Amino acid sequence: MSPPLTPARRDALSREILRLKADLNAVILAHNYQVPEIQDLADVVGDSLGLSQQAAGTSADVIVFCGVHFMAETAKILNPEKVVVLPDKAAGCSLEESCPADELRAFQAAHPGIYTISYINCSAEVKALSDVICTSGNAVRIVQAAPVDRELLFVPDENLGAWVREQTGRPMTLWPGNCYVHVEFTQGALARLRHRFPDAPVVAHPECTQPVRVLADEVCSTEKMVTYCRQSPAQRFIIATEIGMLHRLQKECPGKTFMPAVTDSLPAPTDRCRCSECKFMKLNTLEKLRDCMARLAPQIHLDDPILKRARLPIDRMLEISAPARAPVSR
Ligand code: 13P
Ligand code: SF4
């Protein structure tokens, strides 16, 4: 087991990571759900869309991806010639697990001509079976741009898919998958929190269920949460997404207060609710980040045909969402 992260150890590890970064000509990309110490030394912290855009445009030789496996895979698909490493290869995603490529292939074979829109939280193999990729930040736009004469299939998040269907009015078949973290938030717990803090807008991720989304003042991607909270005159907010988001929000909006949404079992916002912690995102630590840079392992490797085929729907997504705002670079 690694020693506890004392301030001195955190400083020493951070220095080592920054030295390795310079030696390798690397860029460190971190998702908004990463632990604070990783967010604080990353070059870019953002949502899936912003990080894909950054990966597509980087001139670094090595991409160090602090997030989950499908995010690092996306960076590799966009940069087949570069080395892409991640702190822990076991950092998966319940959405990715819910849509095995074989099952999607079988569904498509039974529904010839169906247009497949895949949420970026899926494997490279599923991406290779898709017509277009989307993230929570551009899903509405991507579905609006889908051909009007085709039947639409949305995989693998039924909650994001249902929200996009409401926003666009486009009928879509939804794959039965969900995020095990976001479905824990309940309408009852959120209603009690709202009642207690009536001045605090509720900001929810579209991976939450519909009964939770209807109580929200804003439903958006993690990056758009930053913009919303920064621009809002409100001084405190209830945040229904993974707990790591609160660190980013607190940094971007100093002086404002952010309360995590809780589940039915924990009625008070001061009770830390571990059910809003993504066990996959939290596999990454500063030690593992240092190690993956020192060893250049684990690395993402993908077969050439998958790499080439998976790139097409990602490029389509990037084209459609070209003017979208990139995350904050440091
Ligand atoms: P964002 O793209 O909104 O950051 O979402 C990624 C994710 O995994 C949400 O659970
Ligand atoms: Fe996947 Fe949910 Fe974790 Fe996001 S929070 S990476 S959707 S399991």
Side-chain angles (χ1 to χ4, degrees):
M1 218 175 90
S2 45
L5 197 60
T6 59
R9 180 150 177 76
R10 177 180 168 158
D11 285 354
L13 280 167
S14 299
R15 274 197 305 277
E16 228 182 308
I17 289 166
L18 293 176
R19 183 185 52 74
L20 284 163
K21 189 176 81 133
D23 291 351
L24 295 167
N25 185 28
V27 64
I28 303 177
L29 306 180
H31 188 263
N32 286 320
Y33 296 162
Q34 290 297 285
V35 289
E37 54 272 22
I38 290 184
Q39 288 195 32
D40 290 349
L41 59 66
D43 293 296
V44 182
V45 184
D47 67 357
S48 307
L49 176 60
L51 294 174
S52 308
Q53 288 168 326
Q54 290 287 333
T58 185
S59 58
D61 295 322
V62 175
I63 299 174
V64 184
F65 213 114
C66 300
V68 290
H69 189 260
F70 76 80
M71 296 178 175
E73 257 186 2
T74 306
K76 181 70 181 177
I77 294 165
L78 287 163
N79 296 279
E81 75 296 345
K82 292 191 198 291
V83 171
V84 178
V85 292
L86 68 170
D88 193 322
K89 217 169 185 167
C93 170
S94 67
L95 278 166
E96 179 180 351
E97 281 167 19
S98 68
C99 187
D102 286 352
E103 288 180 27
L104 177 58
R105 204 176 285 110
F107 188 93
Q108 289 173 327
H111 300 81
I114 202 155
Y115 187 85
T116 305
I117 303 164
S118 297
Y119 187 30
I120 198 162
N121 298 40
C122 63
S123 66
E125 221 180 325
V126 164
K127 287 185 177 76
L129 293 170
S130 307
D131 290 292
V132 67
I133 303 301
C134 73
T135 72
S136 59
N138 62 15
V140 168
R141 204 157 156 186
I142 297 291
V143 171
Q144 279 167 342
V148 288
D149 56 346
R150 301 271 294 274
E151 230 188 292
L152 305 185
L153 169 66
F154 190 93
V155 310
D157 188 353
E158 61 195 350
N159 290 306
L160 174 66
W163 177 70
V164 175
R165 206 163 53 179
E166 286 158 26
Q167 303 297 305
T168 61
R170 292 289 306 263
M172 298 193 291
T173 301
L174 306 181
W175 193 266
N178 57 53
C179 163
Y180 90 101
V181 179
H182 286 85
V183 296
E184 284 295 322
F185 300 116
T186 62
Q187 190 179 45
L190 204 54
R192 280 198 297 280
L193 214 47
R194 277 209 84 129
H195 183 71
R196 205 162 143 193
F197 302 100
D199 57 309
V202 172
V203 185
H205 197 275
E207 289 173 13
C208 294
T209 61
Q210 196 265 352
V212 166
R213 291 197 310 271
V214 291
L215 285 188
D217 298 278
E218 179 72 2
V219 177
C220 59
S221 77
T222 59
E223 195 58 32
K224 286 185 185 158
M225 287 182 183
V226 176
T227 317
Y228 176 84
C229 295
R230 207 191 274 132
Q231 289 171 353
S232 166
Q235 289 305 303
R236 49 187 187 178
F237 302 84
I238 297 165
I239 307 295
T241 195
E242 210 270 350
I243 196 85
M245 191 64 216
L246 270 70
H247 178 71
R248 174 82 201 281
L249 286 167
Q250 204 64 76
K251 271 180 89 166
E252 300 282 353
C253 311
K256 295 192 175 184
T257 303
F258 298 96
M259 296 173 276
V262 291
T263 70
D264 269 327
S265 57
L266 291 165
T270 45
D271 296 338
R272 267 296 294 272
C273 169
R274 292 188 64 85
C275 51
S276 65
E277 201 168 88
C278 173
K279 64 182 176 191
F280 303 112
M281 288 279 182
K282 271 24 186 199
L283 282 175
N284 297 337
T285 62
L286 223 44
E287 278 91 353
K288 290 186 200 172
L289 172 54
R290 185 266 322 268
D291 291 347
C292 81
M293 294 174 76
R295 297 175 193 152
L296 282 185
Q299 263 190 50
I300 300 284
H301 295 287
L302 287 165
D303 291 342
D304 214 39
I306 296 279
L307 261 176
K308 289 203 172 90
R309 180 58 185 87
R311 177 144 191 170
L312 302 177
I314 299 176
D315 280 346
R316 194 165 290 144
M317 168 187 85
L318 292 173
E319 267 162 42
I320 296 170
S321 46
R325 206 187 137 270
V328 182
S329 292
R330 275 179 268 271

